[in-house]
Coordinates of all heavy atoms in Angstrom, one line a residue:
I36 N 2.2 -13.2 -14.0 CA 2.5 -12.3 -15.2 C 3.4 -13.0 -16.2 O 4.4 -13.7 -15.9 CB 3.3 -11.1 -14.6 CG1 2.6 -10.3 -13.4 CG2 3.7 -10.2 -15.7 CD1 1.4 -9.6 -13.9
D37 N 2.9 -12.9 -17.5 CA 3.7 -13.5 -18.6 C 4.4 -12.5 -19.4 O 3.8 -11.5 -19.8 CB 2.7 -14.2 -19.5 CG 3.4 -14.9 -20.7 OD1 4.1 -16.0 -20.5 OD2 3.3 -14.3 -21.8
T38 N 5.7 -12.6 -19.6 CA 6.4 -11.7 -20.4 C 7.4 -12.5 -21.3 O 7.4 -13.7 -21.3 CB 7.1 -10.6 -19.7 OG1 7.6 -9.6 -20.5 CG2 8.1 -11.0 -18.7
A39 N 8.3 -11.8 -22.0 CA 9.4 -12.4 -22.8 C 10.4 -11.4 -23.0 O 10.2 -10.2 -23.1 CB 8.8 -12.9 -24.1
N40 N 11.8 -11.9 -23.1 CA 12.8 -11.0 -23.5 C 12.9 -10.8 -25.0 O 13.9 -11.3 -25.5 CB 14.2 -11.4 -22.8 CG 15.1 -10.2 -22.5 OD1 14.9 -9.2 -23.0 ND2 15.9 -10.4 -21.6
Q41 N 11.9 -10.3 -25.6 CA 11.7 -10.2 -27.0 C 11.1 -8.8 -27.2 O 10.0 -8.6 -27.2 CB 10.7 -11.3 -27.5 CG 10.5 -11.3 -29.0 CD 9.2 -11.9 -29.4 OE1 8.3 -11.8 -28.6 NE2 9.2 -12.5 -30.5
R42 N 12.0 -7.8 -27.4 CA 11.6 -6.5 -27.5 C 10.7 -6.2 -28.6 O 9.9 -5.3 -28.4 CB 12.9 -5.5 -27.5 CG 12.6 -4.1 -27.4 CD 12.0 -3.8 -26.0 NE 11.5 -2.4 -25.9 CZ 10.3 -2.1 -26.3 NH1 9.4 -2.9 -26.9 NH2 9.8 -0.8 -26.3
K43 N 10.8 -7.0 -29.6 CA 9.8 -6.9 -30.8 C 8.3 -6.9 -30.3 O 7.5 -6.1 -30.9 CB 10.2 -8.0 -31.7 CG 9.4 -7.9 -33.0 CD 10.0 -9.1 -33.9 CE 9.1 -9.4 -35.1 NZ 9.4 -10.6 -35.8
H44 N 8.1 -7.7 -29.3 CA 6.6 -7.8 -29.0 C 6.3 -7.4 -27.6 O 5.2 -7.2 -27.1 CB 6.0 -9.2 -29.3 CG 6.0 -9.6 -30.7 ND1 5.4 -8.8 -31.5 CD2 6.6 -10.6 -31.3 CE1 5.4 -9.5 -32.7 NE2 6.2 -10.4 -32.7
Y45 N 7.4 -7.4 -26.7 CA 7.2 -7.2 -25.2 C 8.1 -6.2 -24.8 O 9.3 -5.9 -25.3 CB 7.5 -8.5 -24.4 CG 6.7 -9.7 -24.7 CD1 6.8 -10.4 -25.9 CD2 5.7 -10.0 -23.7 CE1 6.1 -11.6 -26.0 CE2 5.0 -11.1 -24.0 CZ 5.1 -12.0 -25.1 OH 4.4 -13.1 -25.3
F46 N 7.8 -5.4 -23.8 CA 8.7 -4.3 -23.2 C 8.9 -4.8 -21.8 O 8.2 -4.4 -20.8 CB 8.0 -3.1 -23.3 CG 8.8 -1.9 -22.6 CD1 10.2 -1.9 -22.7 CD2 8.1 -0.8 -21.9 CE1 11.0 -0.9 -22.0 CE2 9.0 0.2 -21.4 CZ 10.3 0.2 -21.5
E47 N 9.8 -5.8 -21.6 CA 10.0 -6.4 -20.2 C 10.3 -5.5 -19.2 O 10.0 -5.7 -17.9 CB 11.0 -7.6 -20.4 CG 11.1 -8.6 -19.4 CD 12.1 -9.6 -19.6 OE1 13.1 -9.4 -20.0 OE2 11.7 -10.8 -19.4
A48 N 11.2 -4.5 -19.5 CA 11.6 -3.5 -18.5 C 10.4 -2.8 -18.0 O 10.4 -2.4 -16.8 CB 12.6 -2.6 -19.1
G49 N 9.4 -2.5 -18.8 CA 8.1 -1.9 -18.3 C 7.3 -2.8 -17.3 O 6.9 -2.3 -16.4
V50 N 7.5 -4.1 -17.6 CA 6.9 -5.0 -16.6 C 7.7 -4.9 -15.2 O 7.0 -4.8 -14.2 CB 7.0 -6.6 -17.0 CG1 6.6 -7.5 -15.9 CG2 6.2 -6.7 -18.4
G51 N 9.0 -4.8 -15.3 CA 9.7 -4.5 -14.0 C 9.3 -3.3 -13.3 O 9.2 -3.2 -12.1
E52 N 9.0 -2.2 -14.1 CA 8.5 -1.0 -13.5 C 7.3 -1.1 -12.7 O 7.1 -0.6 -11.6 CB 8.4 0.2 -14.6 CG 9.6 0.8 -15.1 CD 9.2 1.8 -16.3 OE1 8.1 2.4 -16.1 OE2 9.9 1.7 -17.3
A53 N 6.4 -1.9 -13.4 CA 5.1 -2.2 -12.7 C 5.3 -2.9 -11.5 O 4.7 -2.7 -10.4 CB 4.2 -2.9 -13.6
L54 N 6.2 -3.9 -11.5 CA 6.5 -4.7 -10.3 C 7.0 -3.8 -9.1 O 6.5 -3.9 -8.0 CB 7.4 -6.0 -10.5 CG 6.9 -6.8 -11.6 CD1 8.2 -7.8 -11.9 CD2 5.8 -7.7 -11.1
A55 N 7.9 -3.0 -9.5 CA 8.6 -2.1 -8.5 C 7.4 -1.2 -7.9 O 7.3 -1.0 -6.6 CB 9.6 -1.3 -9.1
A56 N 6.6 -0.7 -8.7 CA 5.6 0.3 -8.2 C 4.5 -0.6 -7.3 O 4.1 0.0 -6.3 CB 4.7 0.7 -9.4
A57 N 4.3 -1.8 -7.7 CA 3.3 -2.7 -6.9 C 3.9 -3.0 -5.5 O 3.2 -3.0 -4.6 CB 3.0 -4.0 -7.7
Y58 N 5.2 -3.3 -5.6 CA 5.9 -3.6 -4.3 C 5.9 -2.4 -3.4 O 5.5 -2.4 -2.2 CB 7.4 -4.0 -4.4 CG 7.6 -5.2 -5.3 CD1 8.8 -5.4 -6.1 CD2 6.6 -6.3 -5.3 CE1 9.0 -6.5 -6.8 CE2 6.8 -7.4 -6.2 CZ 8.0 -7.5 -6.9 OH 8.3 -8.7 -7.6
R59 N 6.2 -1.2 -4.0 CA 6.2 0.1 -3.2 C 4.8 0.4 -2.6 O 4.7 0.9 -1.4 CB 6.6 1.2 -4.1 CG 8.1 1.5 -4.2 CD 8.4 2.8 -4.8 NE 7.6 3.1 -6.1 CZ 8.0 2.9 -7.3 NH1 9.2 2.3 -7.4 NH2 7.3 3.2 -8.4
A60 N 3.7 0.1 -3.3 CA 2.5 0.4 -2.9 C 1.9 -0.7 -2.1 O 0.7 -0.6 -1.5 CB 1.5 0.5 -4.1
G61 N 2.6 -1.8 -1.8 CA 2.2 -2.8 -0.8 C 1.1 -3.8 -1.4 O 0.3 -4.3 -0.7
I62 N 1.0 -3.6 -2.8 CA 0.0 -4.5 -3.4 C 0.4 -6.0 -3.3 O -0.5 -6.8 -3.3 CB -0.3 -4.1 -4.9 CG1 -0.8 -2.7 -5.0 CG2 -1.1 -4.9 -5.7 CD1 -0.6 -2.0 -6.3
A63 N 1.6 -6.2 -3.4 CA 2.1 -7.7 -3.5 C 3.6 -7.6 -3.2 O 4.2 -6.5 -3.3 CB 1.9 -8.3 -4.8
T64 N 4.0 -8.8 -2.7 CA 5.6 -8.9 -2.6 C 6.0 -9.9 -3.6 O 5.2 -10.6 -4.3 CB 5.9 -9.5 -1.3 OG1 5.4 -10.9 -1.2 CG2 5.3 -8.8 -0.1
R65 N 7.2 -9.9 -3.8 CA 7.8 -10.9 -4.9 C 7.2 -12.3 -4.7 O 6.9 -13.0 -5.7 CB 9.4 -10.8 -4.8 CG 10.0 -11.9 -5.8 CD 9.8 -11.7 -7.2 NE 10.2 -12.8 -8.1 CZ 9.4 -13.8 -8.5 NH1 8.2 -14.0 -8.1 NH2 9.9 -14.7 -9.3
K66 N 7.2 -12.8 -3.4 CA 6.8 -14.2 -3.2 C 5.3 -14.5 -3.5 O 4.9 -15.5 -3.7 CB 7.0 -14.4 -1.6 CG 8.4 -14.7 -1.2 CD 8.5 -15.6 -0.1 CE 7.8 -14.9 1.3 NZ 8.5 -13.7 1.8
D67 N 4.5 -13.4 -3.5 CA 3.1 -13.5 -3.9 C 2.9 -13.8 -5.4 O 1.9 -14.1 -5.9 CB 2.3 -12.3 -3.7 CG 2.3 -11.9 -2.2 OD1 2.4 -12.8 -1.3 OD2 2.3 -10.7 -1.8
L68 N 4.0 -13.5 -6.2 CA 3.8 -13.4 -7.6 C 4.4 -14.6 -8.4 O 5.4 -15.4 -7.9 CB 4.4 -12.1 -8.1 CG 3.9 -10.9 -7.7 CD1 4.7 -9.7 -8.3 CD2 2.5 -10.8 -7.9
F69 N 3.9 -14.9 -9.4 CA 4.4 -15.9 -10.5 C 4.8 -15.2 -11.7 O 4.0 -14.6 -12.4 CB 3.2 -16.9 -10.9 CG 3.7 -18.0 -11.8 CD1 4.2 -19.2 -11.5 CD2 3.5 -17.7 -13.2 CE1 4.5 -20.2 -12.4 CE2 3.9 -18.7 -14.0 CZ 4.4 -19.9 -13.7
L70 N 6.2 -15.2 -11.9 CA 6.7 -14.4 -13.1 C 7.2 -15.3 -14.1 O 8.0 -16.2 -13.7 CB 7.7 -13.5 -12.6 CG 7.5 -12.4 -11.4 CD1 8.7 -11.5 -11.2 CD2 6.3 -11.6 -11.9
Q71 N 6.8 -15.2 -15.3 CA 7.4 -16.1 -16.4 C 7.8 -15.3 -17.4 O 7.2 -14.3 -17.9 CB 6.0 -16.9 -16.9 CG 6.3 -17.7 -18.1 CD 5.1 -18.6 -18.3 OE1 5.1 -19.7 -17.7 NE2 4.3 -18.3 -19.3
T72 N 9.0 -15.6 -17.9 CA 9.6 -15.1 -19.1 C 10.1 -16.1 -20.2 O 10.0 -17.2 -19.9 CB 10.7 -14.0 -18.8 OG1 11.0 -13.2 -20.0 CG2 12.1 -14.7 -18.2
K73 N 10.6 -15.5 -21.2 CA 10.9 -16.7 -22.2 C 12.3 -16.2 -22.9 O 12.7 -15.1 -22.9 CB 9.9 -16.5 -23.4 CG 8.5 -16.7 -22.9 CD 7.5 -16.7 -24.0 CE 6.1 -16.5 -23.4 NZ 5.6 -15.2 -23.3
F74 N 12.9 -17.3 -23.4 CA 14.1 -17.2 -24.3 C 13.6 -17.3 -25.8 O 12.9 -18.3 -26.1 CB 15.1 -18.3 -24.1 CG 16.2 -18.3 -25.1 CD1 17.2 -17.3 -25.1 CD2 16.2 -19.2 -26.1 CE1 18.3 -17.4 -26.2 CE2 17.1 -19.2 -27.2 CZ 18.1 -18.3 -27.1
T75 N 14.0 -16.3 -26.6 CA 13.5 -16.3 -28.0 C 14.8 -16.4 -28.9 O 15.7 -15.6 -28.8 CB 12.8 -15.0 -28.3 OG1 11.8 -14.7 -27.3 CG2 12.1 -15.0 -29.7
Y76 N 14.7 -17.3 -29.9 CA 15.8 -17.4 -30.8 C 15.9 -16.1 -31.6 O 15.0 -15.4 -31.8 CB 15.4 -18.6 -31.9 CG 15.8 -19.9 -31.4 CD1 14.7 -20.9 -31.2 CD2 17.1 -20.4 -31.1 CE1 15.0 -22.2 -30.8 CE2 17.3 -21.8 -30.6 CZ 16.3 -22.6 -30.5 OH 16.5 -23.8 -30.1
Q77 N 17.1 -16.0 -32.2 CA 17.3 -14.7 -32.9 C 16.3 -14.5 -34.1 O 15.8 -13.3 -34.3 CB 18.7 -14.7 -33.6 CG 19.1 -13.3 -34.3 CD 20.4 -13.4 -34.8 OE1 21.2 -14.3 -34.8 NE2 20.8 -12.2 -35.3
R78 N 15.8 -15.6 -34.7 CA 14.9 -15.3 -35.8 C 13.6 -14.8 -35.4 O 12.8 -14.3 -36.2 CB 14.9 -16.6 -36.7 CG 14.0 -17.7 -36.0 CD 13.9 -19.0 -36.9 NE 13.4 -20.0 -36.2 CZ 12.1 -20.3 -36.0 NH1 11.3 -19.6 -36.7 NH2 11.7 -21.3 -35.4
G79 N 13.3 -14.8 -34.1 CA 12.0 -14.4 -33.6 C 12.2 -13.0 -33.0 O 11.2 -12.4 -32.4
Q80 N 13.4 -12.4 -33.1 CA 13.7 -11.1 -32.6 C 13.9 -10.0 -33.6 O 14.1 -10.4 -34.8 CB 15.1 -11.2 -31.8 CG 15.1 -12.3 -30.7 CD 14.7 -11.8 -29.3 OE1 14.2 -10.7 -29.2 NE2 15.0 -12.5 -28.3
D81 N 13.8 -8.8 -33.3 CA 14.3 -7.7 -34.2 C 15.8 -7.4 -33.8 O 16.5 -8.4 -33.3 CB 13.4 -6.5 -34.1 CG 13.3 -5.9 -32.8 OD1 14.2 -6.1 -31.9 OD2 12.4 -5.0 -32.6
Q82 N 16.3 -6.3 -34.1 CA 17.8 -6.0 -33.8 C 18.0 -5.7 -32.4 O 19.2 -5.8 -31.9 CB 18.3 -4.8 -34.7 CG 17.8 -3.5 -34.2 CD 16.4 -3.2 -34.6 OE1 15.6 -4.0 -35.1 NE2 15.9 -2.0 -34.2

Side-chain angles (χ1 to χ4, degrees):
I36 303 290
D37 177 78
T38 186
N40 209 340
Q41 181 202 34
R42 189 61 192 85
K43 187 176 170 184
H44 295 304
Y45 297 78
F46 180 33
E47 195 176 49
V50 176
E52 279 174 42
L54 296 173
Y58 301 151
R59 274 196 308 274
I62 295 163
T64 67
R65 172 66 187 90
K66 284 205 301 293
D67 301 326
L68 302 180
F69 175 92
L70 303 181
Q71 173 167 278
T72 191
K73 311 184 191 86
F74 169 77
T75 312
Y76 282 115
Q77 187 181 3
R78 73 183 169 86
Q80 304 267 13
D81 59 18
Q82 74 289 358

